Amino acid sequence: MVEKASDGAQHELKVARTLDDLAALTGVSRATVSRVINGGSAAEATRRRVQEVLARTSYRPNAAARKLASGRSGVVGVVVHVDPHLLFPDPYFSQLLQGITDHLAEQGAGMMLWLGNRTKEQTLDHVLGMSFLDGVIISAHTLEDPVVDGLLSSDLPTVLIGHRRADRTASYVDIDNEQAADAITTHLISIGRTRVGHITGSRGTVAGEDRVTGYQRAMHRAGLRFDRLMVDGDFTRESGVTSAAELLERGADAIFCANDASAAGALETIRASGLRVPEDVALAGFDDVDFAVHLDPPLTTVRQALRQHGMEAARALLQLLGDPGHAPRRVLMPTELVIRQSSVGGVPHE
Amino acid sequence: MVEKASDGAQHELKVARTLDDLAALTGVSRATVSRVINGGSAAEATRRRVQEVLARTSYRPNAAARKLASGRSGVVGVVVHVDPHLLFPDPYFSQLLQGITDHLAEQGAGMMLWLGNRTKEQTLDHVLGMSFLDGVIISAHTLEDPVVDGLLSSDLPTVLIGHRRADRTASYVDIDNEQAADAITTHLISIGRTRVGHITGSRGTVAGEDRVTGYQRAMHRAGLRFDRLMVDGDFTRESGVTSAAELLERGADAIFCANDASAAGALETIRASGLRVPEDVALAGFDDVDFAVHLDPPLTTVRQALRQHGMEAARALLQLLGDPGHAPRRVLMPTELVIRQSSVGGVPHE
DNA sequence: TTGTACGCGTTATCAT
DNA sequence: ATGATAACGCGTACAA
């Protein structure tokens, strides 16, 4: 490539790959150029001269060199250890990811993404090996998680989405699963149901366990028995279908499902057996994902603003990076009990 | 942090953050350690000694420093400039992404992801600014795309998924949209339909345009007129609903939709107007996404193995990185005409 | 085979 | 306010 040194043409687009190139073009030192770019102190005159050259140039700071010299890169890692085949169609995770990408993009931050394509050990290894990361956001939904453990005991700033009791000192964004489960169970009791069943979430997950606890707390407080009214599910529609059959046999007059997907499955079973919702069996879910309001009847559920969770996690991480000495950020997001026709049939339509 | 120098305990986990640390621990030079790690030449004895220390150490090479020194990082960028709200629920893109993440993870490569959260100009700027990338995969689905143009004219190795005629010299993975559209139109003609309509894809997209061309070619070859049988759509179910109504008015006895989503919409309209599929109106889509086979009746369509496309793109990029001098990799993936009951009603069930 | 020494592009400290 | 200069951690000619 031959390049003409036609210095006469002031507005020609020059090529400057490094700070040294810029320094040569402006006649100041590399250090000064760096200061101008990063908002350091510089005389107004030189600042202007540098910026003029900068404008006629395709210069971009080298992020790898920056990270090496300053420790900052503007890139964060996001770990959602879920099989991509399950993750993408699942409104829960996709909304979370939307929130994260939205906020990061808005703040000009880059994102490296790890999904459940590897073992957790491999993932942890890979993430810790990616030394250009400034920090990481990880969805911490299971009781045992080597990735979470590894990240928390590393010196990489980390924000969890969800958390376990052991994560007390970590930064996280979560909801009060126990309280929310208690509230929705109490709602079912308050409309006169006494045999409220529960289809649990996966037993290895924090949300699953905590919602069980909340359910039991509400039942206990009301003086109702629940030992024969709990059936294990796993957050899938399918588990809702089969578990509901069992609960109907045992005479449940209401069912609280650990999430909306399993509630949708339960709904199928209830209607297939000729029973009416909510007259014969009241039904409730958890999450308020998109389809919940479109079920027939619309589903009573607990709304958590998942996109907000994602944004909040990104915000917490960026704040943490801006002020590393700061105490851990622990954010408990609000939930909202959304009562629809699956529990209260005759609700007037506005 | 105080650290005991208990050298007696051979199996203690030592901390070594840099090559220099390792060099000090083994007694060889930093260069030698580097060679052992990267598979360079070294005496069998020293190699073993280094690896022993390596095993008792939590050392991880610094990726930023590596990139700076060698130009390689093992990280590739993936650009899918689609609004996250649309992307995640869309089986087309999610399958593509699955394929990409699967292959990259398998090969131990990292991934930075850009979605449609910014303007294309901002995205291009950001991607080019991420100097730790070794290369990038970008979905190139629109006729005009500054990101694609910018990447192709940069020196960053790039693989397109989809391509335009202008991208002749680029590496890409694509299908022959024109041929496939021709084939499925010809199929509809071969079952005796003479008024085959077409609901197009978005007019700014390569796939949309090429499928129009293929449709027209088939109609023309059969001596059929089509000037009043084409209605603009945009790949959405909604556009299928409204466009189908128009085509029915004009007397279409078959409809080829530019994708499965719009075909699903068309199906709704056809049935709502009391017509039968395929007896009165034969129907065909494109993509063969998950739900196509579950429609009633199951949808005749063109299958493209989207997950494979993603994997193939990742493979092409990694090959390109391994052999930069190599000619561009241009991969045309096969498509398959999948004939189901929406075009040939009486097909025996196996 | 191994070690020395330089370069990668940037930030940051320290004189000036 | 500005310019040398030393890190940052690694790869790799080149010399030994």
Side-chain angles (χ1 to χ4, degrees):
Chain A
M1 301 252 178
V2 179
E3 203 172 312
K4 282 191 212 164
S6 50
D7 285 330
Q10 281 289 347
H11 299 302
E12 188 175 352
L13 192 70
K14 294 183 167 135
V15 30
R17 227 177 36 77
T18 71
L19 283 182
D20 280 320
D21 295 347
L22 288 173
L25 246 46
T26 53
V28 299
S29 79
R30 173 175 79 216
T32 302
V33 179
S34 174
R35 280 190 213 101
V36 170
I37 289 179
N38 296 315
S41 70
E44 197 44 40
T46 54
R47 172 181 305 280
R48 209 189 323 274
R49 205 166 72 242
V50 171
Q51 276 170 339
E52 269 170 15
V53 173
L54 220 43
R56 278 184 281 110
T57 259
S58 60
Y59 171 78
R60 294 169 203 285
N62 182 308
R66 267 195 163 160
K67 174 69 184 179
L68 202 55
S70 73
R72 280 166 275 114
S73 67
V75 178
V76 308
V78 175
V79 182
V80 182
H81 199 99
V82 176
D83 187 326
H85 303 71
L86 305 175
L87 179 135
F88 286 108
D90 187 332
Y92 182 91
F93 291 107
S94 74
Q95 296 220 64
L96 221 49
L97 275 173
Q98 277 174 38
I100 296 174
T101 63
D102 283 352
H103 189 77
L104 290 181
E106 187 189 320
Q107 298 299 312
M111 176 180 86
M112 286 197 61
L113 186 61
W114 283 267
L115 304 180
N117 300 346
R118 303 168 155 96
T119 68
K120 292 198 167 183
E121 286 72 19
Q122 289 172 323
T123 299
L124 174 62
D125 218 58
H126 205 242
V127 174
L128 290 178
M130 278 306 149
S131 36
F132 6 77
L133 297 183
D134 288 350
V136 32
I137 297 170
I138 178 169
S139 88
H141 290 304
T142 60
L143 289 172
E144 311 261 322
D145 197 327
V147 193
V148 173
D149 295 337
L151 287 175
L152 289 183
S153 64
S154 79
D155 50 2
L156 197 58
T158 301
V159 170
L160 314 183
I161 296 181
H163 84 292
R164 312 159 295 184
R165 289 199 181 74
D167 302 329
R168 274 270 171 269
T169 66
S171 292
Y172 58 77
V173 174
D174 203 354
I175 60 169
D176 190 337
N177 279 295
E178 205 173 308
Q179 183 276 327
D182 183 330
I184 200 163
T185 306
T186 299
H187 162 66
L188 293 174
I189 296 170
S190 78
I191 58 174
R193 310 301 161 123
T194 57
R195 302 190 52 78
V196 181
H198 179 39
I199 297 177
T200 77
S202 307
R203 246 29 212 302
T205 66
V206 179
E209 298 294 352
D210 286 0
R211 290 172 197 174
V212 166
T213 307
Y215 158 77
Q216 293 179 336
R217 198 172 70 190
M219 293 293 278
H220 182 76
R221 187 178 338 103
L224 298 173
R225 302 204 43 177
F226 52 81
D227 42 350
R228 298 231 340 122
L229 287 172
M230 289 178 43
V231 180
D232 278 359
D234 62 3
F235 289 127
T236 64
R237 193 192 58 80
E238 289 72 21
S239 78
V241 170
T242 59
S243 302
E246 207 160 329
L247 285 177
L248 293 184
E249 259 181 43
R250 302 189 190 167
D253 59 7
I255 301 180
F256 161 43
C257 303
N259 74 339
D260 291 346
S262 55
L267 181 57
E268 288 177 32
T269 297
I270 298 171
R271 312 196 80 177
S273 43
L275 296 171
R276 295 163 304 166
V277 175
E279 290 83 351
D280 302 314
V281 182
L283 188 66
F286 203 111
D287 287 348
D288 196 25
V289 295
D290 301 336
F291 64 73
V293 69
H294 295 120
L295 291 176
D296 177 26
L299 187 66
T300 290
T301 185
V302 173
R303 173 178 300 158
Q304 41 178 337
L306 293 168
R307 202 169 145 275
Q308 306 283 355
H309 290 207
M311 297 189 61
E312 207 55 49
R315 181 174 302 125
L317 181 57
L318 295 184
Q319 284 179 344
L320 212 58
L321 297 181
D323 180 7
H326 197 284
R329 324 241 159 197
R330 289 194 275 278
V331 183
L332 225 44
M333 301 289 287
T335 57
E336 187 182 347
L337 182 54
V338 180
I339 299 177
R340 300 205 183 95
Q341 283 87 328
S342 75
S343 67
V344 181
V347 166
H349 201 276
E350 205 57 12
Chain B
M1 300 252 179
V2 180
E3 206 172 310
K4 282 192 212 163
S6 50
D7 285 327
Q10 282 288 346
H11 299 302
E12 189 175 351
L13 193 68
K14 295 183 168 133
V15 30
R17 226 176 38 77
T18 71
L19 283 184
D20 279 320
D21 294 347
L22 288 174
L25 248 45
T26 54
V28 299
S29 79
R30 176 176 78 217
T32 303
V33 179
S34 174
R35 281 190 211 100
V36 170
I37 289 179
N38 297 315
S41 69
E44 196 45 39
T46 54
R47 171 180 305 279
R48 206 186 327 272
R49 203 166 74 241
V50 171
Q51 277 170 338
E52 268 170 15
V53 172
L54 220 43
R56 276 184 284 110
T57 257
S58 60
Y59 172 78
R60 296 169 202 284
N62 182 308
R66 268 194 162 160
K67 175 69 183 179
L68 203 53
S70 73
R72 279 166 275 116
S73 68
V75 178
V76 309
V78 176
V79 182
V80 183
H81 199 99
V82 176
D83 187 326
H85 304 69
L86 305 174
L87 178 137
F88 286 109
D90 188 332
Y92 181 90
F93 290 108
S94 73
Q95 297 221 63
L96 221 50
L97 275 174
Q98 277 175 37
I100 295 174
T101 62
D102 282 352
H103 189 77
L104 289 181
E106 187 188 321
Q107 299 299 310
M111 178 178 85
M112 285 198 62
L113 186 60
W114 283 267
L115 303 179
N117 299 342
R118 301 167 155 97
T119 69
K120 291 198 167 183
E121 287 70 18
Q122 289 171 322
T123 299
L124 174 62
D125 218 58
H126 205 243
V127 174
L128 291 178
M130 278 305 148
S131 37
F132 7 76
L133 297 183
D134 288 350
V136 34
I137 297 171
I138 177 169
S139 89
H141 290 304
T142 61
L143 289 171
E144 312 262 323
D145 197 328
V147 193
V148 173
D149 295 338
L151 288 175
L152 289 182
S153 63
S154 78
D155 51 1
L156 197 59
T158 301
V159 170
L160 313 182
I161 296 182
H163 84 291
R164 311 158 297 183
R165 290 198 182 74
D167 303 327
R168 273 272 170 270
T169 66
S171 292
Y172 59 76
V173 173
D174 203 355
I175 61 168
D176 190 337
N177 279 296
E178 205 173 310
Q179 182 275 326
D182 184 328
I184 200 162
T185 307
T186 300
H187 161 67
L188 294 174
I189 297 172
S190 77
I191 58 174
R193 311 299 163 123
T194 58
R195 301 189 53 77
V196 181
H198 179 39
I199 297 175
T200 76
S202 305
R203 248 28 212 302
T205 65
V206 180
E209 298 293 352
D210 287 1
R211 290 172 197 175
V212 166
T213 308
Y215 158 78
Q216 293 179 335
R217 198 172 70 190
M219 293 295 277
H220 182 77
R221 188 178 337 102
L224 299 173
R225 301 205 44 178
F226 53 82
D227 43 351
R228 298 232 338 122
L229 289 172
M230 288 178 45
V231 180
D232 278 358
D234 62 4
F235 289 127
T236 64
R237 193 192 59 81
E238 289 71 22
S239 78
V241 170
T242 60
S243 302
E246 206 160 330
L247 285 177
L248 291 184
E249 258 180 43
R250 302 188 190 168
D253 59 7
I255 301 180
F256 161 43
C257 303
N259 73 340
D260 291 346
S262 55
L267 181 57
E268 289 177 31
T269 297
I270 298 171
R271 312 196 79 177
S273 46
L275 296 171
R276 296 163 303 167
V277 175
E279 291 82 350
D280 302 315
V281 182
L283 188 66
F286 203 110
D287 287 347
D288 196 26
V289 294
D290 301 335
F291 65 73
V293 68
H294 295 119
L295 292 176
D296 178 25
L299 187 66
T300 290
T301 186
V302 173
R303 171 178 302 159
Q304 40 179 338
L306 293 168
R307 204 169 143 275
Q308 306 283 353
H309 290 207
M311 296 189 60
E312 206 56 49
R315 183 175 299 126
L317 180 58
L318 295 184
Q319 285 179 345
L320 211 59
L321 297 181
D323 180 7
H326 197 283
R329 323 243 158 195
R330 289 194 275 276
V331 183
L332 225 45
M333 301 291 285
T335 57
E336 186 183 348
L337 182 55
V338 180
I339 299 176
R340 299 206 183 94
Q341 282 88 326
S342 76
S343 68
V344 181
V347 167
H349 199 275
E350 205 59 10

